[in-house]
């Protein structure tokens, strides 16, 4: 089934007095693919700005925004209409040689996956490796996909979710020690744990559709949906399994695909995929704060 969504993402930076702005790197545009198609886009910036579109090394679409005037507020609004086809990673067959863990990537795949296979965070006492290895069965063969499904589910059930406005991501060891974190913390934990087991993973940033946040949705009348992380930018991961390719795992909600995860960018590490990164010039105490408003709605009758 294919559904059509309208997305409006507005970020506003407020200052005590007019300041001068440097370039801002904006990563809002959904990432096209066989399952996701962008039908319309619009980008509005206040104050007036020059905009150029580029692709980064991961082929993500990036808007380079240079405001042309000083102002006490910088507002960036991106609007999109997309079509998203339902996918579920359990429906995709794996290469027979990769069905059981451990498995080996081909030489060609290893060349391309090198940066997604190498752990990026230290594990001096082996705590993260030990946590990852608990999902390897001791009573018989371990299915590769089943290992990742169990890890995905464990994070959803055993860790406490807490939204966090400030930039940055906890290290995997911090998330283990605290027993909780944000969606990007959970994504990084599972990424690094899987890499310790020799499975290639990458970070995904994007949006999450939740019918309960849609005022026009019939589901909204039914109360809470149990979806965590909707209404703001969301993060999950993809694991590369031969035969099926890059498969989505959302440990925050224990999702394995579907058409509610709307990807924007992929990267080998969360710090490479911030929604906005930029600079401003003015008094140190001029910055007052940031407001983010995200609206993802399903079009009526879209299927």
């Amino acid at each position: 089934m294919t559904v059509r969504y309208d997305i409006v993402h507005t970020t506003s930076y407020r200052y005590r007095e007019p300041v001068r702005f440097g370039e801002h790197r904006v990563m809002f545009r959904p990432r096209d693919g066989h399952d996701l198609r962008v039908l319309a886009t619009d980008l509005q910036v206040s104050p007036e700005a020059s905009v150029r579109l580029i692709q980064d090394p991961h082929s993500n679409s990036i808007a380079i925004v240079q405001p042309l005037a000083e102002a006490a507020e910088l507002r960036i609004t991106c609007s999109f209409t997309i079509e998203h086809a339902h996918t579920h990673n359990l429906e995709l067959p794996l290469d027979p040689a990769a069905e059981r863990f451990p498995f080996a990537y081909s030489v060609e795949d290893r060349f391309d996956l090198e940066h997604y296979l190498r752990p990026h965070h230290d594990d001096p006492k082996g705590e993260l490796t030990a946590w990852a290895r608990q999902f390897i069965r001791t009573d018989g063969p371990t299915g590769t996909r089943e290992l990742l499904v169990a890890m995905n589910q464990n994070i959803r059930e055993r860790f406490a979710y807490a939204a966090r406005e400030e930039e940055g991501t906890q290290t995997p060891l911090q998330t283990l020690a605290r027993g909780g974190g944000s969606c990007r913390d959970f994504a990084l934990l599972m990424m690094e744990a899987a890499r310790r087991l020799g499975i290639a993973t990458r970070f995904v940033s994007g949006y999450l559709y939740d019918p309960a946040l849609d005022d026009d949705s019939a589901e909204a009348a039914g109360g809470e949906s149990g979806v965590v992380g909707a209404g703001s930018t969301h993060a999950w991961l993809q694991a590369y399994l031969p035969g099926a390719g890059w498969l989505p795992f959302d440990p925050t909600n224990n999702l394995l695909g579907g058409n509610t995860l709307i990807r924007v960018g992929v990267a080998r590490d969360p710090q490479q995929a911030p929604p906005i990164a930029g600079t401003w010039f003015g008094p140190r105490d001029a910055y007052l704060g940031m407001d983010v408003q995200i609206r993802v709605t399903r079009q009526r009758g879209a299927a």
Side-chain angles (χ1 to χ4, degrees):
M1 180 180 71
T2 299
V3 297
R4 184 171 294 186
Y5 296 111
D6 293 317
I7 305 168
V8 180
H9 184 158
T10 299
T11 299
S12 300
Y13 296 92
R14 296 175 289 105
Y15 302 87
R16 196 179 307 277
E17 60 187 79
V19 298
R20 181 168 57 90
F21 301 101
E23 278 190 347
H24 282 64
R25 179 183 183 273
V26 179
M27 182 186 286
F28 284 174
R29 187 185 192 278
R31 186 179 172 107
D32 294 273
H34 64 276
D35 59 337
L36 193 158
R37 187 159 64 107
V38 180
L39 304 178
T41 68
D42 183 55
L43 173 62
Q44 297 182 358
V45 181
S46 176
E48 183 180 357
S50 66
V51 179
R52 70 181 190 275
L53 301 178
I54 66 170
Q55 286 189 320
D56 70 5
H58 300 277
S59 295
N60 299 310
S61 180
I62 308 295
I64 305 298
V65 174
Q66 175 60 68
L68 301 177
E70 295 185 358
E73 180 184 45
L74 173 61
R75 178 183 292 264
I76 301 174
T77 299
C78 300
S79 304
F80 310 100
T81 299
I82 68 166
E83 284 185 346
H84 196 341
H86 175 87
T87 60
H88 195 294
N89 79 35
L90 296 180
E91 300 168 353
L92 298 173
L94 304 186
D95 186 302
E99 289 180 351
R100 292 186 178 182
F101 178 86
F103 69 94
Y105 291 105
S106 68
V107 174
E108 291 81 3
D109 280 349
R110 289 195 68 86
F111 276 123
D112 295 326
L113 296 172
E114 178 183 357
H115 296 297
Y116 303 113
L117 280 164
R118 183 187 309 147
H120 287 54
H121 295 265
D122 293 334
D123 183 27
K125 298 180 180 179
E127 298 168 78
L128 178 59
T129 301
W131 183 84
R133 292 188 64 82
Q134 71 176 301
F135 302 103
I136 301 175
R137 298 184 58 153
T138 59
D139 58 349
T142 300
T144 302
R145 185 171 7 217
E146 287 69 29
L147 182 156
L148 294 171
V149 168
M151 189 182 295
N152 198 63
Q153 182 176 1
N154 180 277
I155 294 173
R156 175 66 177 92
E157 294 178 348
R158 301 295 181 88
F159 289 76
Y161 172 81
R164 196 172 67 251
E165 294 296 332
E166 61 268 22
E167 297 180 0
T169 307
Q170 293 177 176
T171 68
L173 293 181
Q174 287 174 328
T175 301
L176 285 178
R178 296 170 182 174
S182 68
C183 57
R184 58 185 183 269
D185 300 325
F186 295 158
L188 182 60
L189 169 62
M190 184 166 169
M191 285 169 56
E192 288 288 295
R195 286 172 176 171
R196 295 281 169 182
L197 299 180
I199 299 174
T201 59
R202 65 185 184 184
F203 181 81
V204 186
S205 65
Y207 308 110
L208 174 64
Y209 170 69
D210 178 5
L213 297 180
D214 187 347
D215 293 339
D216 297 325
S217 171
E219 291 98 328
E224 305 243 345
S225 68
V227 175
V228 177
S232 61
T233 54
H234 191 51
W236 59 99
L237 69 139
Q238 293 174 333
Y240 189 86
L241 300 184
W246 289 109
L247 299 181
F249 293 87
D250 176 11
T252 302
N253 294 291
N254 192 27
L255 296 177
L256 303 172
N259 51 25
T260 60
L261 294 172
I262 303 167
R263 66 182 175 275
V264 168
V266 300
R268 57 179 171 80
D269 192 75
Q271 67 180 354
Q272 297 179 306
I276 298 183
T279 57
W280 60 274
F281 305 92
R284 185 184 298 270
D285 63 350
Y287 182 68
L288 295 177
M290 175 183 70
D291 297 312
V292 179
Q293 296 181 351
I294 298 174
R295 178 78 168 165
V296 181
T297 56
R298 177 172 171 170
Q299 291 188 7
R300 288 184 178 274

